[in-house]
Amino acid sequence: MTNRNDALSKFCVDMHFENIHQDVVERAKLIIIDCIGAILGGMAEKDAIKLVKLRSQKATNTHFVKIIGTEYWAEKSQAALLYGTAGTVLEMDEGHQFAKGHPGIHVLPAILSLVQSNWLGRKISGQEFLTSFIVGYDIAARIGSGSKLRHSMHPHGTWGVLGASIAIGKLLDLNIMQTKELLNISSSLTTATSRKTMLEGGTVRNIYAGLSNQMAFLAIDLISSNFTGEIDGIQSVFGTIISDELNDEMILDRLGENFEVMRNYFKLHACCRYNHATLDALCTLMEQNPELLDVDNIEAINVESYSLAAELNDPTPKNMLAAKFSIPFAVATTLINKNSNVESFSGTALTDSKVLKIAKKVHIIENPLMTASLPDFRPAKVTITLKIGKILSHEVATNKGDWKSPYSPDELKDKFFSLAERSLSREQTKYLYNSLASLESYDDIRAIFDITHK
């Protein structure tokens, strides 16, 4: 056994709420609020609604989970699957640029479902919940940051299962040996995810995060049934199978001192983050140049960005998911609709002739210097040539929304309300937000999510 797994297990077991700085707690609450907003927003989408109906029931059950924002009940692992899926659909959930993925939506659905199900048969305090989330997030983000997934892999559904499993294990009060075995078992429950799904609009991609949360419950059942994993499953899976490199020094760097929730980012643009630097630059140009209010003035739009962004070059995406992974479409719909919110990437926006016409004028290329700035920075430069010959240009060094350029609390609150109110009433949304904002003060948080009559 390597020192890595020993250190990770000890960190998970020994970490308690009183050891966590208040800044970390506050950031974790913001992430939890953001993830729940993304879940409630996604739960209003037609495909998510259909999946809920297929995978749940209207009849109540003592140990079933009431799916928030719906009239349906599901077994806890099914609820975790549904929550993880809904939270991914809109591409509005937070993320972690060093892990190159979304730890929050890979961890929260599992422990949210556990709490709602009353599986433990006892009260779970807000402090316990926050500690388990912070620890699970840390494990997921550290494995993600320390591994280099094959380019053909989608990061959803991979290292997230370790974070979700650890978060559940923390609430179960597993000891160090059990936690070490849980790491080995859960590492073998990752999914063979395909990066092409996001580029081609294959919406099966939206299930990947849900699967990680569901698999976490299976990992716990396997531990409880005395199943065993490899001696070092993390090395096998993330060092040789889905990734060729595993950097233990990076994984263990200041473990227990620096928490990965502090390096997360939040989204306001309703699309893949690889679009965001481009949209940040575009929005600045729109604010400063009234000529852009009339898109007929535009002759051409050129975008320079890093390699991952340059891949998002389809001007005619076939559905909402593909649109969220298209810089030409994101630029065009933002110009036409004057915003980059959920509605700009769905419904009639997908077939709007004006949007599609502008999208064909957008050309994106990789700038090697920008690629070299990854993962610390995510730059882009937008140059718009007007028909009169005037050239407008703006460049940004990184996305808004991370710790270098954070959104304000009010901006994130407005985002939560805009998403949650797709499934809840205004009063329910206010109650839920205020409760989550003071999460650590609750002795029993199960009542927070019983919002039917609020």
Side-chain angles (χ1 to χ4, degrees):
M1 173 63 67
T2 65
N3 289 334
R4 180 215 328 110
N5 286 13
D6 289 334
L8 292 177
S9 300
K10 189 174 189 306
F11 159 73
C12 295
V13 172
D14 290 349
M15 185 54 59
H16 300 288
F17 186 79
E18 55 267 26
N19 306 129
I20 303 173
H21 193 276
Q22 187 61 31
D23 287 348
V24 178
V25 172
E26 293 302 319
R27 180 64 66 87
K29 287 193 293 183
L30 286 177
I31 296 174
I32 289 169
I33 291 169
D34 191 78
C35 289
I36 290 178
I39 290 169
L40 288 166
M43 202 64 77
E45 291 296 307
K46 291 180 180 179
D47 51 354
I49 294 171
K50 287 181 180 178
L51 187 63
V52 167
K53 290 180 178 178
L54 287 171
R55 290 273 169 167
S56 57
Q57 60 188 42
K58 282 197 172 182
T60 61
N61 184 302
T62 304
H63 295 294
F64 271 31
V65 171
K66 177 68 160 52
I67 305 298
I68 54 176
T70 78
E71 299 177 351
Y72 293 88
W73 297 74
E75 181 271 332
K76 62 183 183 301
S77 68
Q78 288 286 356
L81 171 74
L82 297 171
Y83 283 151
T85 301
T88 305
V89 166
L90 294 179
E91 193 60 27
M92 286 292 277
D93 52 309
E94 67 84 49
H96 191 286
Q97 67 196 61
F98 299 97
K100 299 174 287 294
H102 305 258
I105 206 62
H106 282 81
V107 174
L108 181 69
I111 55 174
L112 172 59
S113 300
L114 185 153
V115 167
Q116 286 188 274
S117 70
N118 198 30
W119 183 43
L120 299 186
R122 65 171 178 82
K123 296 178 180 179
I124 296 176
S125 71
Q127 294 186 5
E128 283 183 275
F129 189 82
L130 281 161
T131 304
S132 69
F133 177 77
I134 291 166
V135 168
Y137 191 108
D138 221 68
I139 294 298
R142 285 176 178 275
I143 300 300
S145 300
S147 57
K148 187 177 181 181
L149 295 183
R150 299 184 189 281
H151 190 66
S152 57
M153 292 287 297
H154 194 302
H156 285 201
T158 54
W159 38 259
V161 67
L162 281 81
S165 300
I166 286 298
I168 297 174
K170 182 66 176 173
L171 288 176
L172 289 172
D173 199 26
L174 299 185
N175 62 35
I176 290 178
M177 290 304 297
Q178 291 170 319
T179 302
K180 194 183 303 183
E181 198 64 62
L182 183 59
L183 288 170
N184 286 325
I185 285 179
S186 59
S187 63
S188 290
L189 298 179
T190 59
T191 310
T193 57
S194 172
R195 181 181 177 80
K196 280 188 177 181
T197 54
M198 71 181 194
L199 299 175
E200 297 178 359
T203 53
V204 65
R205 169 258 185 196
N206 292 334
I207 205 77
Y208 294 162
L211 283 173
S212 282
N213 285 279
Q214 186 178 52
M215 287 297 101
F217 281 105
L218 176 58
I220 294 295
D221 286 346
L222 293 174
I223 286 287
S224 301
S225 304
N226 297 320
F227 281 70
T228 59
E230 298 181 49
I231 292 176
D232 188 357
I234 294 176
Q235 174 61 39
S236 292
V237 175
F238 295 95
T240 62
I241 298 174
I242 65 174
S243 167
D244 294 323
E245 299 177 21
L246 188 68
N247 187 327
D248 285 344
E249 184 177 349
M250 185 178 293
I251 291 172
L252 298 178
D253 183 41
R254 302 193 70 178
L255 179 67
E257 300 174 32
N258 288 357
F259 290 89
E260 293 301 319
V261 294
M262 300 302 292
R263 298 204 297 170
N264 90 307
Y265 63 79
F266 294 103
K267 293 180 173 186
L268 292 188
H269 304 301
C271 55
C272 172
R273 194 173 187 247
Y274 301 159
N275 290 293
H276 287 212
T278 297
L279 294 182
D280 288 344
L282 175 65
C283 289
T284 298
L285 288 175
M286 292 169 67
E287 291 170 3
Q288 296 177 351
N289 299 277
E291 304 100 308
L292 295 178
L293 291 173
D294 184 356
V295 296
D296 288 336
N297 291 327
I298 297 173
E299 180 69 30
I301 303 171
N302 293 305
V303 177
E304 295 176 52
S305 196
Y306 50 94
S307 57
L308 297 171
E311 289 183 322
L312 312 187
N313 57 11
D314 182 6
T316 55
K318 70 177 185 180
N319 59 17
M320 183 174 74
L321 177 60
K324 291 173 179 290
F325 285 84
S326 165
I327 283 180
F329 185 90
V331 168
T333 196
T334 300
L335 281 165
I336 294 294
N337 294 297
K338 315 306 179 193
N339 64 67
S340 55
N341 62 21
V342 170
E343 289 72 23
S344 293
F345 290 87
S346 60
T348 58
L350 297 172
T351 56
D352 188 320
S353 59
K354 292 181 180 179
V355 172
L356 298 177
K357 181 180 178 180
I358 293 296
K360 291 179 180 179
K361 296 183 179 184
V362 180
H363 303 279
I364 179 166
I365 61 170
E366 177 193 355
N367 182 324
L369 293 177
M370 292 182 176
T371 299
S373 70
L374 298 174
D376 295 280
F377 299 95
R378 305 265 172 157
K381 180 179 181 180
V382 176
T383 302
I384 301 178
T385 301
L386 301 181
K387 290 179 179 178
I388 60 173
K390 185 177 180 180
I391 296 176
L392 310 173
S393 185
H394 188 70
E395 182 174 352
V396 297
T398 194
N399 306 100
K400 291 181 180 178
D402 65 18
W403 74 100
K404 293 189 180 74
S405 182
Y407 291 123
S408 70
D410 284 344
E411 287 177 302
L412 295 178
K413 181 178 180 179
D414 288 345
K415 174 191 173 182
F416 175 81
F417 273 73
S418 70
L419 292 176
E421 286 182 8
R422 301 182 90 215
S423 294
L424 302 178
S425 70
R426 182 75 175 181
E427 286 305 309
Q428 289 173 328
T429 301
K430 286 172 62 177
Y431 166 79
L432 185 57
Y433 179 87
N434 291 333
S435 299
L436 293 172
S438 58
L439 188 59
E440 71 272 37
S441 66
Y442 281 78
D443 293 328
D444 181 5
I445 65 169
R446 191 181 183 197
I448 290 177
F449 305 106
D450 183 16
I451 55 179
T452 305
H453 302 296
K454 296 293 188 295

